[in-house]
Amino acid sequence: MTLYVYKTGTPGAPVLVIENAASYAADRAVTEDGTVYGPFAADCELSSKPDCSETLRADWRRANPSQEARMEELESLVAELLFGGSPTGSGSPTASALGGGEEA
């Protein structure tokens, strides 16, 4: 595949074309012959279309959250389960499970 690296906010104007890309991640791309391009600057994005209309790095980050993001999500879930029951903090899981409406 061919990947186009462009600065965010300037679609249609690639700053680098990577031919024969075998894989990519949020911070790098690797070609079939093993050449590594990266790490990419924070203000750069990848596209497989010459008009640079895709955001492959952002899509990859959404699909593969960092360990830190996963830990924050887990901590939030545990806090909801232990202390609030719902993200808005209304009621408690115990009162709801027992059929109670409001907490005393």
Side-chain angles (χ1 to χ4, degrees), residues 23-65:
S23 66
Y24 67 89
D27 62 344
R28 65 188 173 99
V30 181
T31 62
E32 292 172 0
D33 68 1
T35 304
V36 176
Y37 292 86
F40 297 124
D43 66 343
C44 287
E45 187 55 77
L46 285 175
S47 179
S48 65
K49 297 179 181 178
D51 65 357
C52 299
S53 61
E54 293 177 314
T55 54
L56 297 177
R57 289 180 71 199
D59 296 344
W60 191 94
R61 286 189 297 271
R62 262 191 304 281
N64 302 283

Side-chain angles (χ1 to χ4, degrees), residues 79-80 83-93 103:
E80 287 175 25
F83 305 113
S86 69
T88 59
S90 60
S92 71
E103 292 183 49

Side-chain angles (χ1 to χ4, degrees), residues 9-23:
T10 60
V15 294
L16 176 67
V17 177
I18 303 171
E19 300 284 343
N20 301 317
S23 66

Side-chain angles (χ1 to χ4, degrees), residues 58-78:
D59 296 344
W60 191 94
R61 286 189 297 271
R62 262 191 304 281
N64 302 283
S66 68
Q67 186 70 21
E68 181 178 311
R70 290 206 236 130
M71 287 301 295
E72 288 174 4
E73 188 176 321
L74 180 60
E75 288 171 359
S76 175
L77 177 61
V78 170

